[in-house]
Amino acid sequence: MPISLKHFVSIVATLILALSSTAFGQFGGRAGDVVIYAVTAGGSGDFQVVPPITTNSAQNVANFKITNLDSVPFVSSDPFPLKRKVFYMTDTETFQVGTDFENTIGLHRLNIVNVKILQIEGVINTIGQLVGFPNTFIAFPMGLDDGGDLSLEDVTVITWFPKSWPFIQVTDRQGPYPCPAGTSGFQCFFLIPGAVKVPSLMPWSSLSLNYPGAGWPEGIDSKLIDVDPTVGSTVRQVRLRPGKQTPPFRIPGHTHLFVLQGKATISLAGGATFPMRKYDYAFLPENFVVTLADPSP
């Protein structure tokens, strides 16, 4: 007997979100590892090793910033219940961490740009009894409507989108995104290739293999999660094993770093070294040269 489209959507969503439960409380690192979430925009997300004598311009150093999630105040998202902590916002880009508190029900909303989301805490119910867990990456396309999701616990997500707030607006109708007949919202969403990814099920790739001969030591790895040429964004996770340090490197596009696990240090070329702990954020201007290290023994 052929299954219905809605039944197929339910099966796909069940598999994706059940698999994401394997990542609960874990971002793919072992004890002592550092795992960093990186979103690059405005240029290539390529990691480029540079000579040790390379320095940063005074303007780039002035634009570098580092801060911890706890030090950023919540701001309102009316009419949405989402509480936001904004790390970076311009007319063309926002990087923020948002929380929907337990029992929050999402309003029917329309995504007005492409949106990149990484869930880092909590459990959310999207369709029926299906639930999503931490370390689930979600790419909402522009024009898709969704809503009715229920936060079973306080749900915290990292969100990047190519404009200032808001990236959603309240709606009472199906969005223009081309969905199959009989579907809308999250039903349609789970049919979109690559819309949901579970990084914990993706293999780590050694940067020494990705960039042979460039000087990357073993024990520094990456997962390329998403590349979106329509908005010019690249999303990765980076892992450093205990005691490992990168060579001095730069990324052509400006990059948002967010520590998911462990404690690291970030050293500016020709400048100071800063500690980074869990849920610390750093903004790297374009072509900004840094060295990352995991000081764990």
Side-chain angles (χ1 to χ4, degrees):
M1 175 185 296
I3 63 174
S4 68
L5 179 58
K6 289 185 177 181
H7 188 200
F8 175 74
V9 171
S10 179
I11 292 172
V12 171
T14 299
L15 288 172
I16 291 172
L17 296 177
L19 287 172
S20 72
S21 67
T22 64
F24 185 81
Q26 180 60 268
F27 294 97
R30 299 182 297 208
D33 287 353
V34 172
V35 180
I36 298 173
Y37 183 63
V39 181
T40 299
S44 167
D46 194 36
F47 285 28
Q48 301 176 348
V49 172
V50 299
I53 60 172
T54 306
T55 58
N56 293 303
S57 68
Q59 181 177 357
N60 264 357
V61 172
N63 289 332
F64 166 80
K65 78 170 186 176
I66 185 169
T67 188
N68 183 263
L69 181 66
D70 290 341
S71 68
V72 181
F74 279 117
V75 294
S76 173
S77 303
D78 291 341
F80 300 99
L82 179 71
K83 300 299 182 183
R84 300 179 298 122
K85 294 190 173 188
V86 180
F87 287 95
Y88 179 92
M89 186 167 67
T90 67
D91 290 342
T92 58
E93 185 180 355
T94 300
F95 185 99
Q96 65 181 31
V97 173
T99 299
D100 277 323
F101 294 105
E102 183 177 354
N103 294 328
T104 297
I105 299 176
L107 298 178
H108 189 195
R109 56 200 183 266
L110 176 70
N111 293 281
I112 56 180
V113 290
N114 288 358
V115 184
K116 315 299 179 181
I117 292 174
L118 181 72
Q119 184 176 338
I120 60 173
E121 289 184 1
V123 180
I124 190 167
N125 180 325
T126 53
I127 303 175
Q129 297 303 310
L130 306 180
V131 293
F133 291 86
N135 208 16
T136 302
F137 177 79
I138 302 165
F140 282 117
M142 180 173 63
L144 181 75
D145 67 298
D146 49 81
D149 41 318
L150 170 64
S151 299
L152 302 178
E153 302 173 355
D154 291 354
V155 174
T156 302
V157 297
I158 303 171
T159 306
W160 179 92
F161 47 95
K163 69 181 295 294
S164 59
W165 171 264
F167 66 89
I168 47 178
Q169 64 185 30
V170 175
T171 187
D172 60 359
R173 64 194 65 191
Q174 186 169 336
Y177 186 85
C179 293
T183 68
S184 63
F186 284 113
Q187 289 182 334
C188 176
F189 172 71
F190 284 112
L191 292 176
I192 301 171
V196 180
K197 296 178 182 177
V198 184
S200 63
L201 302 180
M202 301 169 66
W204 290 103
S205 178
S206 173
L207 290 183
S208 67
L209 297 178
N210 293 349
Y211 304 101
W216 292 96
E218 292 294 329
I220 301 176
D221 309 300
S222 171
K223 294 181 181 182
L224 183 60
I225 298 173
D226 183 77
V227 178
D228 187 343
T230 62
V231 295
S233 63
T234 302
V235 180
R236 299 177 182 268
Q237 287 183 4
V238 179
R239 179 181 68 182
L240 288 82
R241 295 294 196 188
K244 297 298 181 178
Q245 177 175 299
T246 72
F249 73 97
R250 65 187 178 191
I251 304 172
H254 60 262
T255 301
H256 310 274
L257 301 180
F258 192 89
V259 178
L260 300 172
Q261 175 184 328
K263 297 180 180 179
T265 61
I266 182 169
S267 300
L268 314 189
T273 295
F274 301 90
M276 292 189 71
R277 57 192 174 93
K278 183 179 180 180
Y279 291 1
D280 272 0
Y281 164 86
F283 175 76
L284 309 184
E286 294 177 6
N287 291 306
F288 194 67
V289 180
V290 296
T291 299
L292 295 173
D294 179 350
S296 301

